[in-house]
Amino acid sequence: MSQIVFDTGAYDRAGRALVDAGTGLRTEAEAFLGSVSDLSALGTNDLLGGVCQAVYAVALEAVTESASSAADSYEGFGEKLAAAGEVYRELESQQAAAGTGMVA
């Protein structure tokens, strides 16, 4: 029979990893979008260039919003996971104190 063991430090490590992933995603997305956001490359002298610029601008905005939302989610999940680790630590401390009180 196996025992369940809670490692509250694992919550902290996983939470930090998720926050770091969100921050990394945000940084990489901003760098990428900065390198592909020159709409003038599509042309400015004709109707087709103007239409392409409008469509491309909408696509860039969608990618920007999606990457930002995903980064926010990773960071938020990471913060919540770290908070759960803190709750478990506090619970363990309270249970240890209660157990000590029972045998004293």
Side-chain angles (χ1 to χ4, degrees):
M1 183 179 282
S2 65
Q3 292 182 324
I4 296 175
V5 178
F6 289 98
D7 174 12
T8 57
Y11 286 91
D12 295 324
R13 290 186 300 276
R16 199 169 24 258
L18 282 171
V19 169
D20 290 348
T23 302
L25 174 59
R26 186 181 315 284
T27 300
E28 292 297 323
E30 287 172 357
F32 170 73
L33 290 167
S35 71
V36 297
S37 62
D38 181 12
L39 300 179
S40 67
L42 298 171
T44 58
N45 295 334
D46 60 7
L47 178 62
L48 182 59
V51 170
C52 288
Q53 284 184 9
V55 170
Y56 192 67
V58 171
L60 282 176
E61 181 62 28
V63 170
T64 300
E65 288 178 18
S66 178
S68 180
S69 175
D72 289 345
S73 294
Y74 275 110
E75 291 167 347
F77 292 149
E79 290 165 2
K80 288 179 175 125
L81 196 53
E86 183 58 36
V87 169
Y88 277 122
R89 260 189 302 286
E90 181 61 31
L91 181 59
E92 281 184 346
S93 176
Q94 290 172 1
Q95 289 176 341
T100 300
M102 291 172 59
V103 286

